[in-house]
Amino acid sequence: MSLRYALLALLTARPLTAYDIAKQFSSSVGFVWHAPDSQIYPELRRMEKEGLVDAEELPSGGRRTKREYRITPEGVRRFREWVNTPLGYQRERDVHHLKAAYLEWSSPEAAREQLRLHIAFHTEQLDQWLELRERLLDRTNPTLAARLAASPPEQHDRIVAFKVFAYDGLVERARTEIAWARRGLDLIDEQFPDDR
């Protein structure tokens, strides 16, 4: 259900076509809520039926048209309600940490490779989030720029601060995962000293 709120979040900045939403999704809210195009398009149609968004047909070259979505007052109300309501927490389902608990069943080299891949993945995420964080701070991120353009100037610093705060959490999570996997590599060396 959070997909719709991620979509509403994008539309609070400006109207967008479904294609532009999918494109911006992967470079903004998609970092905190992943969804493929195959989920985005049907959710937009459901949201339109529920009155959370309106869609307008726009010319797209030739006889083709595209639909531009904009958030409705009801969509704004529901988004604000969602933001103001504390979320419950779900128990974790983390296959990587589950697997780590049973690495004694793995060969040392296979275990090392899994942890190296974990480090590589989270290093790539860390680099991406740090870059995005910088684009938020210097206000060159296109999605943020649109949001700022539609907001009163006295709110700009607050808008930027909360976006940076969200990415700070992702940065810290990535750093923690990298450090954890590095400790795992050390543990493998300790447990399998003859297999270095």
Side-chain angles (χ1 to χ4, degrees):
M1 202 55 154
S2 291
L3 171 58
R4 70 179 30 200
Y5 298 111
L7 295 171
L8 288 172
L10 279 176
L11 291 170
T12 60
R14 64 181 171 188
L16 295 164
T17 64
Y19 172 79
D20 290 333
I21 289 170
K23 197 166 76 175
Q24 283 195 14
F25 197 89
S26 65
S27 65
S28 61
V29 295
F31 290 124
V32 292
W33 190 267
H34 172 73
D37 295 356
S38 62
Q39 290 177 358
I40 292 172
Y41 289 88
E43 187 62 25
L44 284 168
R45 288 190 291 277
R46 281 190 290 273
M47 292 165 60
E48 186 178 9
K49 285 180 186 173
E50 293 176 32
L52 303 177
V53 297
D54 281 330
E56 178 184 353
E57 297 287 333
L58 300 175
S60 179
R63 292 184 234 184
R64 302 180 73 188
T65 61
K66 57 185 175 183
R67 294 172 63 78
E68 183 178 73
Y69 291 89
R70 67 181 30 81
I71 193 167
T72 64
E74 176 61 12
V76 170
R77 187 192 71 72
R78 293 269 294 277
F79 181 70
R80 190 177 302 277
E81 181 181 282
W82 176 77
V83 169
N84 283 308
T85 303
L87 297 174
Y89 287 86
Q90 297 177 356
R91 293 187 60 113
E92 188 105 14
R93 296 169 109 181
D94 187 328
V95 68
H96 302 287
H97 288 245
L98 172 65
K99 202 173 204 187
Y102 296 95
L103 284 178
E104 75 269 13
W105 288 78
S106 176
S107 71
E109 192 46 44
R112 284 186 189 97
E113 182 59 20
Q114 290 176 57
L115 292 173
R116 286 185 201 113
L117 289 170
H118 196 81
I119 291 168
F121 173 79
H122 286 285
T123 299
E124 182 180 322
Q125 294 293 297
L126 176 62
D127 292 344
Q128 193 172 35
W129 291 330
L130 286 170
E131 180 184 330
L132 181 55
R133 185 182 184 282
E134 284 305 310
R135 290 195 335 254
L136 292 170
L137 285 169
D138 68 15
R139 302 176 185 204
T140 59
N141 175 275
T143 304
L144 176 65
R147 180 168 306 286
L148 295 177
S151 302
E154 63 272 10
Q155 293 180 9
H156 289 190
D157 289 345
R158 181 180 339 152
I159 291 167
V160 171
F162 282 117
K163 303 299 175 275
V164 169
F165 173 71
Y167 285 96
D168 283 346
L170 296 174
V171 164
E172 291 307 312
R173 186 185 306 165
R175 286 180 174 150
T176 298
E177 288 295 325
I178 292 165
W180 171 78
R182 287 183 176 145
R183 287 194 312 273
L185 289 172
D186 292 341
L187 180 61
I188 292 166
D189 289 345
E190 289 171 19
Q191 297 300 315
F192 299 98
D194 298 333
D195 193 67
R196 288 187 188 185

